[in-house]
Amino acid sequence: MGNFLRTAAVMALLAGPVAAQDRVLNVYNWSDYIAEDTIAKFEARFGVKVNYDVYDSNEVLEAKMLAGNSGYDVVVPTSDFLRRQIAAGVYMELDKSKLPNLKNMDPQLMANAAAYDPGNRHAVIYMWGTTGIGYNVAKVRERLGEDAPTNSWALVFDPAVAAKLADCGITFLDAPTEMLPAAMNYLGLDPRSTAREDFEKGAELLMKVRPHVRYFHSSQYISDLANGDVCVSVGWSGDVFQAQARAEEAGNGVEIAYVIPDEGALQWFDMMAIPKDAPHPDLAHEFINFIMEPEITAYITNYVWYANANAASWPLVDPEILNNPGIFPTEKAKARLWAAAVYDARTDRIVNRLWTQVKTGQ
Ligand code: SPD
């Protein structure tokens, strides 16, 4: 072998592993929503680098998706947002031949998700949950006594009750498509209604309790509940249980509970999807398939306290989580859950205008 060929062979050998490391996957997911080692395991197994960014709002994700060229390979919209983003042509159809682990998914839950993505053609369930109330057991009892309406949305939507809790801190999600329907449902209206007057009634109720709300934010409440800095949060199931677990770990004497109120609550599905302009669609499929491995999904659920739809993973899920009705609701509780309506542009305008009024108090 001549010098040139020998040098080229050595360079190729050196270049091999470097090229593997050059493979990159860009993931955009909700904050506090993955186990601490999931990404490292994927990187090690596939010899790739993952850039992992987070958000805490469907609206933020949607703005990026509709603008295009986000650079992301895998994103995780909630099912109602997914539906209209599919209609806008944002996502590619999944190549199911590259997703053999689809066999692990629960057919009933995937059928529920198919209401938003017929045939599950564009997305796979990542995790699912409910939007309920997290509260500090002692602080609520101190202010409202043993008869505190902790099983009811009255805890946050009855102005007289909210006034008594204001000093210890009530927080609302900054999620108009969830807060307005929750208020409508409390008023006895259909939470799936898209009638302007129903949204207005919901907003009117939120305006009444607004003076007692410390902030509108969709991730800050996890640490604030855990530290005892706020006492009642409208929040997402797993996030409230993360707050509970953090308080227990800290041994700070804070006891956090999560309730799906008796009047009912939103059930949602967060879906893994691949943008049409994803730079690395093959690797994106590998990632989605990897997440659907029973051990990987079970480990995520055990870490983030969210329900998954991977039936093969359930035997590996911590029984404390699997048997927790706040995480995997009972059949009876499921009857009280509603699925999100998909809003069109007109509905969006109504909701956004009212939400701005609620947040600014004007
Ligand atoms: N920290 C993870 C939060 C995931 C929340 N998903 C959003 C559901 C919206 N309905």
Side-chain angles (χ1 to χ4, degrees):
M1 195 184 283
N3 270 350
F4 173 76
L5 283 180
R6 214 177 352 255
T7 309
V10 170
M11 283 178 70
L13 271 177
L14 287 176
V18 174
Q21 288 303 325
D22 278 351
R23 290 177 74 208
V24 168
L25 179 76
N26 301 309
V27 178
Y28 196 34
N29 193 3
W30 294 85
S31 51
D32 304 294
Y33 217 25
I34 199 155
E36 90 271 62
D37 63 349
T38 312
I39 294 300
K41 278 182 181 157
F42 182 78
E43 289 180 329
R45 171 119 47 103
F46 291 87
V48 299
K49 162 92 183 85
V50 176
N51 296 318
Y52 188 83
D53 294 339
V54 298
Y55 52 90
D56 68 3
S57 142
N58 267 307
E59 287 78 6
V60 168
L61 170 63
E62 182 160 274
K64 281 200 168 50
M65 288 301 102
L66 295 180
N69 289 315
S70 65
Y72 290 114
D73 297 301
V74 178
V75 297
V76 189
T78 306
S79 41
D80 46 328
F81 283 79
L82 170 81
R83 166 114 190 198
R84 59 191 197 181
Q85 289 159 18
I86 290 172
V90 165
Y91 299 114
M92 66 175 62
E93 281 204 27
L94 297 174
D95 179 346
K96 292 190 182 176
S97 71
K98 295 180 178 157
L99 302 173
N101 287 331
L102 273 172
K103 66 177 185 304
N104 297 331
M105 303 303 283
D106 179 69
Q108 183 55 58
L109 289 164
M110 286 298 276
N112 293 351
Y116 299 91
D117 173 26
N120 302 116
R121 284 172 26 223
H122 300 85
V124 175
I125 301 172
Y126 177 70
M127 296 283 145
W128 63 274
T130 52
T131 301
I133 303 174
Y135 63 95
N136 180 312
V137 176
K139 289 196 176 178
V140 168
R141 195 184 293 133
E142 261 166 39
R143 284 158 184 79
L144 299 174
E146 294 300 328
D147 294 334
T150 48
N151 283 330
S152 167
W153 284 106
L155 198 62
V156 288
F157 290 154
D158 178 333
V161 173
K164 291 186 185 152
L165 296 170
D167 75 299
C168 65
I170 298 176
T171 76
F172 281 0
L173 290 169
D174 188 3
T177 64
E178 300 186 52
M179 292 304 304
L180 280 165
M184 285 150 58
N185 174 65
Y186 177 66
L187 292 171
L189 302 168
D190 179 359
R192 293 171 53 87
S193 167
T194 55
R196 177 192 299 270
E197 53 277 19
D198 290 346
F199 286 124
E200 285 172 349
K201 286 176 190 150
E204 203 179 309
L205 174 66
L206 293 176
M207 286 297 267
K208 284 190 192 141
V209 291
R210 191 203 174 279
H212 312 305
V213 173
R214 189 168 297 173
Y215 62 68
F216 296 80
H217 198 280
S218 299
S219 48
Q220 174 69 33
Y221 66 94
I222 305 178
S223 51
D224 284 349
L225 274 177
N227 297 335
D229 292 337
V230 302
C231 65
V232 180
S233 295
V234 175
W236 292 315
S237 42
D239 286 2
V240 173
F241 284 108
Q242 286 179 46
Q244 184 187 70
R246 284 188 205 179
E248 273 171 25
E249 271 163 33
N252 60 7
V254 171
E255 185 191 347
I256 301 296
Y258 176 74
V259 65
I260 298 174
D262 288 344
E263 298 92 347
L266 172 71
Q267 177 187 23
W268 44 261
F269 297 94
D270 287 336
M271 311 294 302
M272 293 183 283
I274 306 177
K276 253 189 193 148
D277 55 7
H280 312 101
D282 286 338
L283 201 47
H285 280 85
E286 301 261 35
F287 183 77
I288 292 173
N289 197 50
F290 169 81
I291 294 290
M292 286 192 292
E293 288 180 13
E295 298 75 14
I296 299 296
T297 277
Y299 202 81
I300 296 173
T301 286
N302 289 340
Y303 194 82
V304 301
W305 298 75
Y306 276 100
N308 68 59
N310 190 311
S313 84
W314 295 339
L316 307 171
V317 170
D318 185 342
E320 191 194 344
I321 292 179
L322 198 62
N323 300 319
N324 185 327
I327 300 174
F328 285 89
T330 60
E331 286 309 311
K332 192 166 163 223
K334 276 189 195 158
R336 292 184 279 119
L337 303 179
W338 70 81
V342 179
Y343 294 168
D344 59 13
R346 167 199 154 274
T347 311
D348 251 355
R349 279 193 295 278
I350 296 171
V351 165
N352 290 336
R353 180 177 57 77
L354 290 169
W355 190 242
T356 303
Q357 287 173 11
V358 169
K359 278 178 52 176
T360 60
Q362 288 156 11

